[in-house]
Amino acid sequence: MPMRKIVMLGANARTQRSVSSIQLPAEFSPSASSAPYFNYSPSDFILDLRTHKESEENYQNGHTETDDGKKQLKDLLHERWENSKQFNAFNYSLNCMYRCMDGKYDLSMQLNIERGELRRKPMHFKNIKEPFNHLRFNFTKLHDNEILFYLKCDADPISNDPLDRHLVAVNASPLERDHSLIVPSVNKCNPQVLTLQAVRIAVDLMLLVDDDMFHILFNSLLGQASVNHLHLHAVYWPYDSDLINRKCEPLHDVPNVFVIRPPIWICPAIVFQLDCMENYEQFKTNIYKCVEHLTETNQAHNLFLARAQPIRTTGAEKEEDRRGERPQLVTCYVFPRMNMIGAKPPSNFNPAANELAGNLTSYTIRFFESAIEQSVIRIIEEEASLDDDSFRSLCFDLADVLIGRSVGTSRPHDLDILEGLTSPEIDELRDSFQSFMPRSPSIRHRSSTRTHSDEGPIV
């Protein structure tokens, strides 16, 4: 179906597209939208996909509705997303290729040239927290046909303000089929800073969708976010992230919070998992406290929510559930990362939430065909991954925040000594002890080869 032509005076070819060219009046009220509501309650939540048999049987029998006649979230999302095509809500038709990369981390890569060329130009930001600007693009400017549906929890309202509208809209430059945007309280015009309400919506949607390929992503400012209006991404990815198979370690003395770091994974992360509904509130609170601390310290971050097997702190570095016997639980990976000042145009790939989880999107055929795991890791290390000392220091502070202690209580004295030094002075100190090592995948892997035998996993 051909794209709708919108003629704008003074506009170039790039601005002639549905999302940015349709400007609704300032007095537009989302309550006037024709988009339906998706009503849900905690009784609809699926804790473990592995033991959720009823919906699987319904799909096998061709049914798409529950006993009370309500469409499942997955079906409503797909139906409305497909229906948006007739209104030319997308910049391009999906025509992607994939390849799985050889190597330790089983990375997958998508070729999506149109996204690199036609997606909205990233905005320039200088801080994690910047005020919302009505003059720049924001999601109050979405056309009614781009809004898929609104979210409403019947038993436990998402917010106390009855005028709040929590919407799910199409992503005009999608990664995959059904790639959508989640915009909590769109009418409040919140900046791109994760709130407890947004965390709650992300967790609820993960618990409502019965598909282990479904993910929710969040990118902060300075961490590849392109719009300063609070939003998250809902996306399906056809390959499992190998991150869900990796061993973690406890976050000091914090119960049910874990960390993962190189070389077990390509970059460090804080890990949270919902293993029982009794921990639902604590799970959301821990995620929020973590990102709140990162925001207050002006530390860029990405979130990746997925269904993962129960977290392990012992055993092999990697264990796949090839028999499909282990539970599939909602798991949140928080990636603290280096701040990226300014807008970076797409080149080979941009390391955001999905990429740090091992799901890469390449914007050029050359990189798609030639990239190897080592080159990908080098880019992530140079543009996103925190160094081990910074991550170690952050972990001590996060442990204090999550337990409720004064920040800095858990820090060992050797970290306090380094606090007053500049980066060049720290590098010089490392050199004097011959402990400095260039941050290169090839060096790191050779080191691992020298210090570990082939008899068992590296732990």
Side-chain angles (χ1 to χ4, degrees):
M1 180 181 295
M3 295 290 289
R4 177 182 56 184
K5 295 185 66 175
I6 300 176
V7 179
M8 299 175 61
L9 294 178
N12 58 34
R14 195 184 183 286
T15 62
Q16 296 176 13
R17 54 194 183 87
S18 63
V19 173
S20 60
S21 58
I22 296 176
Q23 305 294 322
L24 298 181
E27 63 272 14
F28 171 75
S29 172
S31 61
S33 171
S34 62
Y37 272 83
F38 177 80
N39 297 67
Y40 69 94
S41 68
S43 62
D44 300 321
F45 290 163
I46 306 168
L47 177 66
D48 174 17
L49 282 186
R50 190 70 67 197
T51 58
H52 182 67
K53 303 297 184 183
E54 181 179 347
S55 62
E56 182 179 355
E57 293 173 357
N58 286 340
Y59 274 98
Q60 290 175 351
N61 295 328
H63 300 300
T64 59
E65 297 185 355
T66 56
D67 293 337
D68 58 3
K70 183 176 69 177
K71 278 188 179 296
Q72 295 182 7
L73 178 59
K74 176 181 176 180
D75 300 300
L76 179 63
L77 175 63
H78 177 65
E79 178 184 291
R80 294 284 296 172
W81 195 91
E82 289 290 330
N83 188 58
S84 295
K85 292 179 180 179
Q86 66 179 299
F87 302 111
N88 300 320
F90 303 100
N91 296 333
Y92 50 83
S93 298
L94 281 169
N95 184 25
C96 302
M97 298 172 57
Y98 289 87
R99 61 178 285 239
C100 295
M101 306 177 69
D102 294 330
K104 176 179 179 180
Y105 300 106
D106 291 337
L107 307 178
S108 61
M109 180 177 287
Q110 175 199 74
L111 175 64
N112 195 332
I113 297 175
E114 289 86 355
R115 178 173 168 83
E117 295 176 347
L118 298 176
R119 70 174 298 197
R120 184 179 307 283
K121 182 180 179 181
M123 298 178 184
H124 182 91
F125 304 111
K126 295 182 179 179
N127 296 288
I128 302 296
K129 296 174 68 175
E130 294 198 5
F132 181 88
N133 188 341
H134 287 273
L135 300 179
R136 306 178 85 173
F137 174 77
N138 60 79
F139 299 115
T140 65
K141 303 178 187 293
L142 291 174
H143 190 274
D144 184 45
N145 292 325
E146 296 170 308
I147 300 174
L148 301 179
F149 52 86
Y150 294 94
L151 294 167
K152 184 177 181 180
C153 183
D154 296 323
D156 182 16
I158 297 174
S159 62
N160 295 323
D161 188 345
L163 297 180
D164 275 357
R165 297 293 182 269
H166 317 287
L167 66 83
V168 177
V170 300
N171 189 318
S173 300
L175 287 171
E176 253 296 344
R177 187 196 69 176
D178 299 348
H179 182 184
S180 307
L181 300 174
I182 306 163
V183 188
S185 297
V186 62
N187 50 297
K188 293 289 178 61
C189 297
N190 295 316
Q192 183 67 350
V193 174
L194 206 59
T195 62
L196 181 58
Q197 182 187 87
V199 172
R200 183 254 174 99
I201 292 175
V203 174
D204 285 2
L205 293 185
M206 287 297 303
L207 289 168
L208 288 167
V209 175
D210 58 336
D211 194 320
D212 59 0
M213 294 192 297
F214 181 76
H215 304 289
I216 292 180
L217 319 173
F218 174 83
N219 301 315
S220 75
L221 300 188
L222 309 191
Q224 297 291 344
S226 59
V227 177
N228 188 23
H229 189 175
L230 179 57
H231 68 285
L232 303 93
H233 293 258
V235 64
Y236 292 89
W237 195 260
Y239 297 95
D240 283 340
S241 166
D242 199 37
L243 178 59
I244 67 173
N245 302 317
R246 298 284 168 163
K247 182 178 68 172
C248 299
E249 59 185 272
L251 177 61
H252 302 302
D253 59 341
V254 185
N256 300 318
V257 182
F258 307 87
V259 298
I260 187 169
R261 66 185 83 207
I264 294 179
W265 188 244
I266 55 180
C267 57
I270 313 296
V271 188
F272 307 88
Q273 187 170 79
L274 181 61
D275 57 357
C276 64
M277 291 310 300
E278 287 75 15
N279 293 335
Y280 171 76
E281 293 295 335
Q282 190 63 53
F283 177 70
K284 296 183 302 181
T285 301
N286 283 345
I287 296 173
Y288 174 67
K289 285 183 176 180
C290 177
V291 296
E292 182 184 40
H293 177 74
L294 295 174
T295 302
E296 294 301 321
T297 55
N298 205 46
Q299 183 71 61
H301 48 279
N302 306 104
L303 270 70
F304 178 79
L305 280 84
R307 290 282 185 168
Q309 60 175 289
I311 290 175
R312 299 177 298 105
T313 57
T314 59
E317 179 179 303
K318 168 185 174 179
E319 285 187 8
E320 295 184 49
D321 182 23
R322 296 188 177 182
R323 294 185 177 180
E325 298 174 341
R326 299 176 185 175
Q328 292 179 302
L329 306 173
V330 174
T331 308
C332 178
Y333 301 87
V334 180
F335 298 100
R337 56 170 298 151
M338 290 189 287
N339 293 2
M340 187 189 73
I341 306 297
K344 183 178 183 294
S347 51
N348 294 327
F349 79 95
N350 290 339
N354 211 32
E355 285 74 15
L356 298 187
N359 306 325
L360 314 172
T361 295
S362 173
Y363 301 121
T364 65
I365 184 67
R366 180 177 179 180
F367 186 76
F368 177 77
E369 292 179 338
S370 64
I372 59 174
E373 184 180 88
Q374 189 173 359
S375 63
V376 167
I377 294 174
R378 182 177 290 113
I379 292 173
I380 290 176
E381 286 189 335
E382 292 174 353
E383 299 185 9
S385 185
L386 285 183
D387 63 86
D388 190 62
D389 287 341
S390 297
F391 184 69
R392 180 184 174 213
S393 175
L394 177 62
C395 286
F396 283 115
D397 290 346
L398 284 175
D400 291 337
V401 168
L402 295 173
I403 289 293
R405 298 184 291 251
S406 298
V407 175
T409 303
S410 302
R411 281 175 176 247
H413 294 297
D414 59 336
L415 285 179
D416 294 332
I417 293 174
L418 296 178
E419 269 194 347
L421 300 179
T422 64
S423 295
E425 289 172 334
I426 292 175
D427 289 343
E428 183 178 350
L429 183 62
R430 287 172 177 158
D431 289 338
S432 67
F433 287 97
Q434 298 181 349
S435 62
F436 177 76
M437 182 175 293
R439 296 177 68 246
S440 166
S442 58
I443 298 295
R444 185 178 70 195
H445 291 164
R446 287 203 297 270
S447 174
S448 299
T449 303
R450 285 198 305 268
T451 56
H452 300 278
S453 68
D454 295 331
E455 297 177 356
I458 300 173
V459 294

